[in-house]
Amino acid sequence: MLFAILSRLIRLVSVMFGISVIVFLIFFATPGADPAARIAGRNASPETLQQVRASFGLDQPLPVQYAVMMKRLFITQDLTSFVNRGQKVVPAVTKAIPVTLSLVFGAAVLWIVGGLLVGVVAAAMRGSITDKALMALSLIGVSMPVFWVGEVMNLLSQSRMHDTFLFSWVPPLGYKPLLTDPIGWFRALVIPWITLAILYIGLYGRILRADLIETLQEDFVRTARAKGLSERRILLRHGVRSSLIAFVTMFGLDFGALIGGGALLTEVVFGLRGVGKLTYDALQTLDLPVILTTVLYASFFVVAANALVDMLYAVIDPRVRDAK
């Protein structure tokens, strides 16, 4: 167990190191990439460019620049933005993390519960009108872009129907801190949660249904039927548990990606200053310190989510545990 944990930690550090080097080289070593030119602005004189390079340490060799940036990011934590002079990167990212975590965690609860319900009910009533209706609704949910759903929800809740009993409780767009205003936090995020979860409810429901139908044809299910177990117990105890492997795998990948900034469109539509929006703004201005910090943050959550998924395999499926 200790060896497995150490192996995971080494892999995590290695992945983050590799990603940091790749991102750094893209913006510094790619031909034509000159951050000093972006910082100094258009038509800057050679003297101005030289001053900018000296001020930000861009006149040093690339390994030295990388080492200094990593030191200022992880040790001294005084790395500053190239665009917003004086703004420290770590506090800015730290401030954005709770926004993204709140958005993704809430949406994840909705899409897990919704996906399980859709998949189990559709598989249990395979071929019925209910099954066809759920699959049709799931396909519609998968087909609707997140930004379009968000804009429609905003149009209804913030404008057209804001004064009705359905949406009169909806606050203006933005984020409310959980610790200072729990009720405001919940109200501000309910609609973004639903908007982000719709796509994944449809996707997870369809995949779980297909896996359940396939699993229910396995030999161990036939054996369970021969023992006289009820169809409900077979479906919930044997079918769902065996079919959760693909479900959990997808959840780990999607959750890690969304935490790392994949919820950008939802954050933009609902005025949430999360990690995705912060990264997007940094890309617009080539603010390398912010980009590097958010990319490392995203890589950490993606690798950590995959490690957690691997550990959950043994809990969900005894066959995986026996194989180890």
Side-chain angles (χ1 to χ4, degrees):
M1 178 63 70
L2 180 60
F3 176 78
I5 295 175
L6 291 176
S7 176
R8 284 291 179 186
L9 291 176
I10 293 173
R11 189 182 305 177
L12 173 62
V13 173
S14 301
V15 170
M16 294 183 65
F17 171 74
I19 291 175
S20 67
V21 172
I22 292 173
V23 174
F24 182 85
L25 292 177
I26 287 174
F27 288 98
F28 279 89
T30 303
D34 186 4
R38 284 292 190 95
I39 298 170
R42 294 181 179 180
N43 304 321
S45 64
E47 293 79 10
T48 302
L49 290 175
Q50 186 61 33
Q51 291 176 0
V52 170
R53 292 190 182 99
S55 175
F56 288 95
L58 301 176
D59 55 348
Q60 301 292 325
L62 287 177
V64 175
Q65 294 182 39
Y66 174 81
V68 170
M69 186 167 291
M70 293 299 102
K71 176 185 176 182
R72 298 185 63 188
L73 176 60
F74 291 106
I75 300 177
T76 61
Q77 296 188 353
D78 60 350
L79 185 63
T80 57
S81 168
F82 281 175
V83 177
N84 301 314
R85 299 293 298 271
Q87 181 186 31
K88 292 186 177 181
V89 174
V90 174
V93 176
T94 303
K95 184 179 179 181
I97 288 175
V99 181
T100 299
L101 288 177
S102 297
L103 173 63
V104 178
F105 268 109
V109 173
L110 293 181
W111 91 58
I112 288 175
V113 174
L116 285 173
L117 287 175
V118 170
V120 171
V121 172
M125 307 182 70
R126 178 185 177 186
S128 66
I129 296 178
T130 302
D131 176 27
K132 295 177 181 178
L134 288 175
M135 290 301 98
L137 291 175
S138 298
L139 183 59
I140 293 173
V142 172
S143 304
M144 294 189 299
V146 171
F147 64 87
W148 180 82
V149 177
E151 290 293 350
V152 171
M153 296 295 284
N154 279 339
L155 180 64
L156 295 177
S157 62
Q158 298 288 338
S159 179
R160 299 291 180 84
M161 303 179 66
H162 181 67
D163 295 331
T164 65
F165 73 95
L166 289 175
F167 299 110
S168 59
W169 53 270
V170 178
L173 298 180
Y175 176 75
K176 303 289 185 181
L178 172 62
L179 297 180
T180 59
D181 187 4
I183 296 178
W185 172 84
F186 180 81
R187 290 179 175 178
L189 290 174
V190 167
I191 293 181
W193 288 340
I194 297 173
T195 301
L196 185 59
I198 286 176
L199 164 66
Y200 295 99
I201 290 175
L203 182 62
Y204 282 50
R206 292 177 66 87
I207 290 178
L208 181 60
R209 173 188 179 274
D211 284 342
L212 273 173
I213 292 175
E214 182 178 354
T215 301
L216 292 176
Q217 309 302 318
E218 297 288 342
D219 292 337
F220 71 90
V221 175
R222 296 191 184 98
T223 303
R225 288 197 179 100
K227 290 180 178 180
L229 296 180
S230 65
E231 287 296 324
R232 175 182 296 181
R233 187 174 182 181
I234 292 173
L235 176 65
L236 296 180
R237 184 166 183 176
H238 297 283
V240 173
R241 188 171 184 177
S242 299
S243 300
L244 281 181
I245 293 293
F247 193 96
V248 171
T249 301
M250 288 180 55
F251 176 77
L253 295 174
D254 292 334
F255 185 81
L258 289 173
I259 287 291
L264 166 64
L265 294 177
T266 308
E267 292 176 359
V268 171
V269 170
F270 291 98
L272 302 172
R273 184 71 179 176
V275 176
K277 183 63 167 59
L278 185 65
T279 306
Y280 175 78
D281 293 340
L283 287 169
Q284 295 291 98
T285 57
L286 197 63
D287 196 349
L288 180 61
V290 178
I291 296 172
L292 189 60
T293 305
T294 55
V295 168
L296 289 175
Y297 154 83
S299 66
F300 170 79
F301 273 100
V302 171
V303 176
N306 279 274
L308 182 60
V309 166
D310 289 344
M311 290 186 288
L312 285 176
Y313 283 162
V315 177
I316 294 173
D317 195 340
R319 294 172 296 181
V320 177
R321 185 168 58 249
D322 295 341
K324 293 183 178 182

